[in-house]
Amino acid sequence: MDALQQFFKDKPDAPGYFAILDVNANAKVMQGVVLQAKKLGKSIYIFSADNTAGKVAHVNAVSEEAKAKGLDGREWASAVTAILGGKVGCRSHVLLV
């Protein structure tokens, strides 16, 4: 979460944040980053590998500004899932795979 806050502190006009997190696909940590992005009103897409299970978790959040320009979180996650494989699960505008 600190990296996310620092990124937007250094680049307040950046349209989004994209990162690979070394959190072993921990859903609670990833969800915390999503909540922070929502508070900042920013779009994000983050990834984290679970090396033991051989899977990659990814989650996005889409800002209201990006939604107004036509970005859809479900479509975005579906496009990524088409490349990575797996299934998309959806909870509101937050997607966990």
Side-chain angles (χ1 to χ4, degrees):
M1 284 188 259
D2 293 338
L4 173 77
Q5 291 176 340
Q6 188 62 48
F7 177 82
F8 285 117
K9 183 177 179 183
D10 294 343
K11 299 174 183 172
D13 295 328
Y17 177 76
F18 310 92
I20 298 170
L21 305 181
D22 187 15
V23 297
N24 200 36
N26 183 305
K28 286 185 180 183
V29 172
M30 295 177 77
Q31 199 65 3
V33 175
V34 166
L35 292 174
Q36 188 62 39
K38 285 184 162 194
K39 286 181 185 175
L40 296 171
K42 299 290 187 174
S43 295
I44 67 163
Y45 213 121
I46 55 175
F47 301 82
S48 183
D50 179 341
N51 293 325
T52 304
K55 295 183 179 184
V56 174
H58 52 104
V59 61
N60 74 42
V62 179
S63 70
E64 292 301 321
E65 180 181 353
K67 286 179 197 174
K69 293 179 180 178
L71 183 60
D72 181 275
R74 289 180 186 94
E75 289 178 10
W76 199 9
S78 293
V80 171
T81 301
I83 295 166
L84 295 178
K87 294 189 253 180
V88 175
C90 181
R91 198 177 330 151
S92 181
H93 299 302
V94 178
L95 300 141
L96 297 172
V97 179

